[in-house]
Amino acid sequence: MIMTEPAAGKAPKSLPKNEPPETSAPAKPVDEQVLVKRARKGDLAAYDELVRRYQERIYATIYHMTANHEDANDLAQEAFIKAFQALKSFKGGSSFYTWVYRIAVNKTINFLKQRKHRSQMSLNDLDFNVEHDPDLVALISDKTPRREVNLTELQEKLNTAMQKLSEPHRLVVTLHDVQGLSHDEIAKIMDCNIGTVRSRLFYARQQLQAYLSDYLK
Amino acid sequence: MHPDSENFEPLRRLLALKRREQPPPRYFNDFSSQVIARIKAGESGEPAGIAWLFSVAPWLRRWLGAIEAKPVLAGAFGAAICGLFIAGIVSLQEMEPSAAQGVGLIISEATPQLANPALVAMNQQWDRAAIVSSTNPVAPSVESLFNQAQLTLRAQQSVVPVNASYIIGPGQ
């Protein structure tokens, strides 16, 4: 199971791996706008379905930003709770998905600013299939000068390098290179223009390349 | 300054490793229910732990709701608990003497000499002696060993003062 999927222009209607809730139609997934309308009226079953649709991506974004599972768990839950409480103010100008993302991202950035001096990592395990990923295997065996390095060590180095980036730069790399969001979507989530997204991405990649030069030659 | 103008391909491949980081198994199974439980807790003002308990055991909420709605049910439940408690105490009181008799029977069967009144009396004396020889300093009728030694010495002195020189010896 890969934690994130490349996002298309629009948020997908549903994730196939998520089980449909008891209240939704058995075959066809309920439209997001209908769910939002119902959740706004206080229908928690509808909101439960919305949470199920986006929980993995929201969690993943926060996790890649914090490099800490416990923090990501708390922040993701709080983001969904805050979104529910603020649902009445949701105008529907953007998709619910982008709106929740924005709440989660703002929450995470505020949290990271507060925890400046506490940056202990609590990394999740790599999935079992990683050993069979040809790209990653090739990266270790051929491209990496330090051939003795294993995937777990590489994961740790990568996360350490990510944590050295500023929050906006880390966020752009996370959303684009890890989660596969488009520049346009990132601009909406970060509430900035596409040019800013591009320049931040360029700078962040340069920084990362410098930090990880030993593992990339 | 296009982000793809430089060769970031190896870096992007390395960043793909982040997609392989997985939360604990079945982590997402309970995630939404935890969120909903926290939302409910926020609405009702009850602690998140209680809300979680209710989400795990929904019958508990229904049961408490029923009790709240019908005070007769609460009274009946309270009466049932009291009845059980009283029945427990009564049965315990009935059990205690018979249990004690049973224990006495077992002892007398196992050690028949204890049933002998003389032996019982002797046992009582031993018990008293045990109390006396205990380290309890407040036993009123007991003199200390030091006092006993002094008494013995006084008795010896009163009996053998004349022969004392013989005992000590002429040269000393």
Side-chain angles (χ1 to χ4, degrees), chain A residues 130-149:
Chain A
V130 72
E131 301 282 349
H132 308 295
D133 188 324
D135 280 354
L136 291 169
V137 171
L139 196 70
I140 290 169
S141 58
D142 301 330
K143 302 280 171 62
T144 310
R146 294 187 177 183
R147 298 197 180 178
E148 75 281 5
V149 76

Side-chain angles (χ1 to χ4, degrees), chain A residues 39-74:
Chain A
R40 202 183 283 171
K41 286 175 186 167
D43 184 345
L44 285 174
Y47 194 66
D48 183 76
E49 166 63 5
L50 285 170
V51 173
R52 280 170 188 270
R53 283 187 187 185
Y54 303 119
Q55 60 187 11
E56 292 183 31
R57 273 174 282 177
I58 295 292
Y59 166 84
T61 303
I62 300 172
Y63 167 75
H64 295 312
M65 287 293 288
T66 57
N68 188 299
H69 168 70
E70 288 77 25
D71 291 341
N73 177 47
D74 288 344

Side-chain angles (χ1 to χ4, degrees), chain A residues 1 3 48 55 63-64 73 77 81 124-127 133 155 158-159 177-178 198 205-206 209, chain B residues 2-4 6-8 11 14 18-23 27-28 31-32 34 36 38-39:
Chain A
M1 183 183 80
M3 192 184 282
D48 183 76
Q55 60 187 11
Y63 167 75
H64 295 312
N73 177 47
Q77 285 193 15
I81 291 166
N124 288 332
D125 293 336
L126 294 168
D127 72 18
D133 188 324
Q155 178 199 9
L158 178 57
N159 277 286
D177 288 345
V178 182
R198 285 181 193 279
R205 282 173 173 176
Q206 271 190 330
Q209 211 157 32
Chain B
H2 194 271
D4 297 325
E6 280 194 27
N7 182 21
F8 290 119
L11 177 68
L14 182 58
K18 295 263 319 144
R19 287 184 209 148
R20 299 291 190 165
E21 292 176 11
Q22 297 296 306
Y27 165 70
F28 288 115
F31 184 88
S32 67
Q34 284 176 10
I36 299 299
R38 284 180 68 177
I39 289 171

Side-chain angles (χ1 to χ4, degrees), chain B residues 65-135:
Chain B
I67 279 183
E68 212 170 14
K70 293 178 182 172
V72 179
L73 270 179
F77 180 72
I81 293 289
C82 284
L84 276 173
F85 187 67
I86 291 165
I89 289 174
V90 168
S91 63
L92 195 69
Q93 280 174 343
E94 280 173 2
M95 269 173 63
E96 267 176 355
S98 62
Q101 280 170 2
V103 170
L105 214 69
I106 290 165
I107 289 171
S108 62
E109 279 173 5
T111 53
Q113 69 274 18
L114 286 179
N116 188 336
L119 287 172
V120 170
M122 205 168 81
N123 274 342
Q124 285 171 351
Q125 278 183 340
W126 283 347
D127 288 345
R128 229 174 284 139
I131 292 165
V132 165
S133 64
S134 78
T135 52

Side-chain angles (χ1 to χ4, degrees), chain A residues 60-120:
Chain A
T61 303
I62 300 172
Y63 167 75
H64 295 312
M65 287 293 288
T66 57
N68 188 299
H69 168 70
E70 288 77 25
D71 291 341
N73 177 47
D74 288 344
L75 288 166
Q77 285 193 15
E78 284 168 18
F80 278 114
I81 291 166
K82 192 178 178 185
F84 181 78
Q85 288 163 348
L87 211 52
K88 286 194 171 78
S89 67
F90 175 59
K91 301 280 191 294
S94 61
S95 67
F96 174 77
Y97 161 73
T98 310
W99 185 68
V100 172
Y101 240 115
R102 204 178 297 157
I103 291 172
V105 160
N106 287 336
K107 226 173 183 12
T108 307
I109 288 176
N110 286 340
F111 170 79
L112 290 171
K113 278 178 185 164
Q114 284 171 1
R115 80 151 201 197
K116 271 274 185 262
H117 303 293
R118 186 177 65 86
S119 55
Q120 200 176 4

